[in-house]
Amino acid sequence: MAKIITVWGSPGSGKSMFCCILAKALTRDKRKAILISGEISTPMLPVWLPDQIVEASASIGQVLSSVEIDTSLVASHVTVLKKYPFIGLMGYCAGENPLSYPEVNYQMVLQLITAAAKLVDFVILDCGPNMTNVFTPASIESGDLIIRLLTPDLKGINYLKAHEPLLQDKRFRYSDHMTFAGMARPFHAFDEMGYLIGGFDGLLPYGKEIDRCATEGGMFQAIKYCNSKYTASLNKILEVLEQMELADQQEENICREDEHEQFE
């Protein structure tokens, strides 16, 4: 079963760019990842793939409006990157909008995530900032590792304070989320903003090269332009994932030993 990584947070905090960079980092050793966006107000497939034609039949909307979701249905709606064949994408297609499909059901999102996790090593969930889109809370509930990105300014801080009451149910594990300052700029008051929320786990600074990747449709190339602070934050996340995988392996070994003892 894949490790599920949920990325959510304030508008304009660089969530989608971070997801692309993370996907590239996780697939360096040829493991596979699926990056999923449930944001229909800005369909992400044409943003991620400006030079690749994606048929409307590949839309995640077709999956979420199905009667039942299984691995074969999900696999048939994954668009694989031509240049990076270990990364698959799911999202809405160009021209689709909130009226293109029936209202999304929370349980169907959970089914989608569960099915995707059976296909690859990592599932990365790129969440929109609006909690009324059930993709976001369902993704937070499903995440093995939950990362929130906030712009290190008053908008980002107040976004978090406004949404904290909505995520107090224990299934959202609010206190376990890792928090990073996204779209960080030299002029941001990191210490002051971090103090208001209990601190940041790291910074994800943007430079002009990453900005260019974001605006010109080369989001999966941006990993080449991460500065040392961005790389340090990325490595911190990769280390947490590695620790989680080691813990899972140890648990599996213990279970096998117990089973072996039972048969002796």
Side-chain angles (χ1 to χ4, degrees):
M1 184 72 76
K3 278 285 172 280
I4 300 169
I5 305 151
T6 301
V7 181
W8 73 283
S10 62
S13 56
K15 297 182 294 296
S16 294
M17 176 61 78
F18 172 75
C19 288
C20 294
I21 291 172
L22 181 61
K24 287 293 295 294
L26 290 172
T27 55
R28 282 171 172 162
D29 59 357
K30 297 185 178 181
R31 287 191 288 179
K32 296 179 180 179
I34 295 177
L35 171 52
I36 306 176
S37 169
E39 183 56 62
I40 193 169
S41 59
T42 304
M44 285 305 298
L45 284 179
V47 178
W48 284 328
L49 303 168
D51 300 322
Q52 192 168 326
I53 297 174
V54 180
E55 299 294 334
S57 58
S59 173
I60 192 176
Q62 307 242 345
V63 178
L64 291 172
S65 56
S66 300
V67 175
E68 187 175 354
I69 299 175
D70 57 20
T71 53
S72 60
L73 178 63
V74 171
S76 67
H77 287 76
V78 174
T79 301
V80 178
L81 288 174
K82 292 178 180 178
K83 294 183 179 179
Y84 313 112
F86 299 103
I87 300 175
L89 303 175
M90 294 187 75
Y92 288 97
C93 294
E96 294 186 319
N97 60 65
L99 299 180
S100 299
Y101 297 97
E103 185 176 351
V104 176
N105 179 276
Y106 193 97
Q107 292 301 319
M108 297 300 279
V109 178
L110 296 179
Q111 285 186 29
L112 165 67
I113 296 169
T114 300
K118 296 177 181 177
L119 297 171
V120 291
D121 302 293
F122 301 100
V123 175
I124 304 171
L125 304 172
D126 180 12
C127 301
N130 191 345
M131 288 291 170
T132 60
N133 179 344
V134 296
F135 182 86
T136 297
S139 295
I140 294 173
E141 178 180 346
S142 300
D144 296 306
L145 176 60
I146 305 166
I147 300 167
R148 63 179 161 238
L149 270 57
L150 304 172
T151 52
D153 53 24
L154 289 176
K155 284 187 176 180
I157 301 308
N158 281 285
Y159 170 88
L160 183 63
K161 289 183 176 181
H163 287 78
E164 181 177 359
L166 303 178
L167 298 172
Q168 289 307 303
D169 189 291
K170 62 182 180 180
R171 72 182 190 273
F172 297 123
R173 290 159 291 135
Y174 184 85
S175 61
D176 295 334
H177 300 188
M178 298 182 74
T179 305
F180 292 87
M183 290 285 281
R185 307 287 188 180
F187 55 79
H188 281 131
F190 303 111
D191 293 339
E192 291 84 348
M193 296 299 105
Y195 176 78
L196 295 174
I197 61 168
F200 291 109
D201 290 299
L203 307 180
L204 299 171
Y206 264 35
K208 62 180 180 180
E209 294 86 359
I210 293 183
D211 272 336
R212 188 176 298 115
C213 291
T215 56
E216 295 179 357
M219 297 176 75
F220 289 96
Q221 300 175 19
I223 193 170
K224 298 183 293 185
Y225 306 113
C226 296
N227 64 23
S228 59
K229 290 182 179 179
Y230 202 118
T231 301
S233 295
L234 182 62
N235 286 338
K236 182 180 289 189
I237 292 164
L238 296 178
E239 288 171 7
V240 171
L241 285 168
E242 184 177 356
Q243 291 169 5
M244 293 171 69
E245 290 175 333
L246 287 173
D248 288 347
Q249 186 62 53
Q250 291 173 356
E251 187 175 342
E252 287 180 15
N253 291 339
I254 292 172
C255 291
R256 287 172 184 167
E257 290 175 1
D258 291 343
E259 291 175 358
H260 181 70
E261 291 175 358
Q262 290 175 3
F263 284 102
E264 286 184 345

